[in-house]
């Protein structure tokens, strides 16, 4: 894919903006300030630029990227809930599947699954993401009717109890059933590319949607994925998907983006995405990231199995927070919430002017 433009990746994060007027910029209205940006040129060249005076380098396109990068994100409205996006929020995972890779088959029935979701909400998860089809590498497809039967009662019970619920699905009919059951956010790992009717369902319901990058389909996505520059290619792909969704009538302020950790990526690709995550804020959408219990953690820790990847999951959650990710999708909610509260305490201390 030909790259024709320069991108801006925030880097050199500082503890505090105080005393650094004009030398630092605030990332997406959140808790992070940065002193430099890496300009990623079309030929792949990286150029480090101080924030001070960086405007002198801007053409119209870079000025628009900069405005998106440094403007606050509006709160996410899910039914009668408002989720502030000026700080990282936790999305708790409830998989109602017999074969999810890390927690498959853990629930005896829908009441037990809903109970687990309610416990996550009580522990501080802002959103509960309910899914009925495993999208792990090599997973088989699930028939819509089965998927609906698995998730609808769980969503209904959680929504009735007051939780903000998202539905993890790629299928229009499942989205429709989930929205009728009370889900208020669609999390589509195919970014509305899997089911030709999914876009209209989301547009008509006027609910927010997470558009996630992936390469290939779940059956084959881990067969030798290749990129020339994973960060730039995922960025361009998400930008194209945002434009397509907007053209189809989904309001831009209802679009969230996710680089799709583990979806058609090698360990090196995943790490490059995590290190460069702040780049994606110039797309102007809240950023969702899910690395919880994923294989990259095993690859970096002597092949620890999925149920022994909590510490690595927390390391990635903190890295994501540091790069301004607004929503962090996790299995282990109390642990992630605690880690982020400590991170938040550190940020608040640094952001309190000395007296
Ligand atoms: C992600 C996801 C999965 C992710 C978003 C798993 C459904 C595999 N991963 N949704 N879903 N982002 N937005 O490990 O990374 O949970 S399934």
């Amino acid at each position: 894919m030909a790259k024709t433009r320069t991108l801006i990746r925030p880097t050199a994060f500082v503890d505090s903006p105080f005393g650094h007027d004009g030398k630092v910029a605030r990332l997406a209205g959140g808790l992070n300030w940065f002193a430099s940006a890496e300009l990623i040129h079309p030929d792949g060249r990286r150029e480090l630029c101080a924030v001070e005076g960086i405007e002198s380098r801007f053409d119209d396109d870079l000025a628009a990227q900069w405005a998106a990068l440094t403007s606050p994100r509006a709160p996410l409205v899910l039914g009668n809930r408002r989720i502030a996006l000026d700080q990282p929020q936790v999305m708790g995972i409830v998989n109602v599947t017999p074969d999810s890779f890390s927690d498959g088959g853990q629930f005896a029935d829908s009441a037990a699954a809903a109970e687990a979701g309610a416990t996550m909400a009580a522990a501080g998860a802002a959103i509960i993401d309910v899914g009925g089809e495993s999208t792990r590498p090599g997973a088989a497809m699930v028939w819509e009717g089965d998927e609906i039967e698995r998730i609808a009662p769980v969503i209904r019970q959680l929504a009735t109890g007051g939780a903000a619920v998202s539905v993890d699905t790629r299928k229009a009919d499942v989205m429709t059933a989930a929205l009728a059951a009370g889900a208020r956010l669609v999390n589509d790992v195919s970014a509305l590319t899997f089911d030709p009717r999914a876009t209209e369902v989301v547009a008509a319901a006027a609910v927010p949607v997470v558009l996630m990058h992936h390469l290939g389909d779940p059956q084959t996505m881990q067969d030798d994925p290749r990129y020339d520059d994973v960060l730039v290619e995922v960025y361009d792909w998400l930008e194209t998907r945002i434009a397509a969704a907007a053209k189809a009538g989904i309001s831009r302020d209802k679009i969230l983006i996710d680089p799709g950790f583990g979806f058609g990526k090698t360990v090196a690709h995943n790490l490059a995405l995590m290190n460069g995550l702040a780049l994606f804020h110039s797309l102007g959408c809240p950023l969702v990231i899910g690395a919880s219990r994923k294989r990259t953690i095993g690859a970096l820790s002597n092949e620890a199995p999925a149920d022994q990847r909590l510490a690595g999951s927390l390391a990635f959650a903190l890295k994501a927070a540091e790069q301004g990710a607004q929503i962090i999708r996790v299995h282990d909610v109390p642990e992630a919430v605690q880690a982020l509260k400590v991170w938040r305490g550190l940020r608040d201390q640094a952001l309190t002017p000395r007296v």
Side-chain angles (χ1 to χ4, degrees), residues 91 93 95 101-102 129 133-137 168-169 187-189 210-212 258-263 288-294 329 331:
M91 171 189 272
I93 302 169
N95 275 322
F101 86 108
S102 59
D129 190 39
E133 178 194 43
S134 172
T135 39
R136 68 166 192 205
D168 154 21
T169 189
N187 177 28
D188 183 350
V189 297
V210 180
L211 303 179
M212 195 195 81
D258 184 326
F261 195 100
F263 282 76
V288 182
I289 180 85
S292 182
R293 298 189 192 170
K294 283 185 179 171
R329 186 177 177 275
H331 298 86

Side-chain angles (χ1 to χ4, degrees), residues 23-35:
K23 295 185 176 171
V24 296
R26 186 175 184 178
L27 185 60
L31 292 163
N32 303 304
W33 276 258
F34 58 100

Side-chain angles (χ1 to χ4, degrees), residues 133-307:
E133 178 194 43
S134 172
T135 39
R136 68 166 192 205
M141 281 272 302
V142 178
W143 179 60
E144 266 106 328
D146 288 340
E147 198 175 331
I148 291 169
E149 206 170 292
R150 287 177 190 170
I151 63 170
V154 180
I155 292 172
R156 190 167 297 110
Q157 192 169 329
L158 279 168
T160 305
V165 181
S166 74
V167 58
D168 154 21
T169 189
R170 304 179 292 166
K171 301 180 193 123
D173 288 345
V174 180
M175 292 172 190
T176 302
L179 294 168
R184 289 293 172 264
L185 168 66
V186 170
N187 177 28
D188 183 350
V189 297
S190 86
L192 304 175
T193 65
F194 178 78
D195 186 330
R197 288 187 301 111
T199 303
E200 350 165 348
V201 169
V202 170
V207 289
V209 60
V210 180
L211 303 179
M212 195 195 81
H213 176 270
H214 62 282
L215 187 68
D217 56 52
Q219 268 89 16
T220 57
M221 66 187 180
Q222 289 308 112
D223 301 346
D224 195 24
R226 283 168 196 250
Y227 304 84
D228 287 331
D229 185 327
V230 68
L231 205 53
V232 172
E233 285 169 45
V234 171
Y235 183 99
D236 287 345
W237 191 95
L238 286 171
E239 184 171 48
T240 303
R241 294 306 310 156
I242 294 168
K247 192 158 173 242
I250 298 173
S251 140
R252 271 177 194 268
D253 63 14
K254 294 212 154 49
I255 298 174
L256 298 86
I257 51 169
D258 184 326
F261 195 100
F263 282 76
K265 280 110 188 165
T266 63
V267 171
H269 295 144
N270 289 322
L271 295 172
L273 286 172
M274 197 56 95
N275 275 327
L277 199 59
L279 173 76
F280 296 101
H281 292 292
S282 69
L283 289 167
C285 300
L287 187 53
V288 182
I289 180 85
S292 182
R293 298 189 192 170
K294 283 185 179 171
R295 221 184 40 201
T296 292
I297 300 168
L300 294 170
S301 58
N302 209 16
E303 300 304 333
D307 65 355

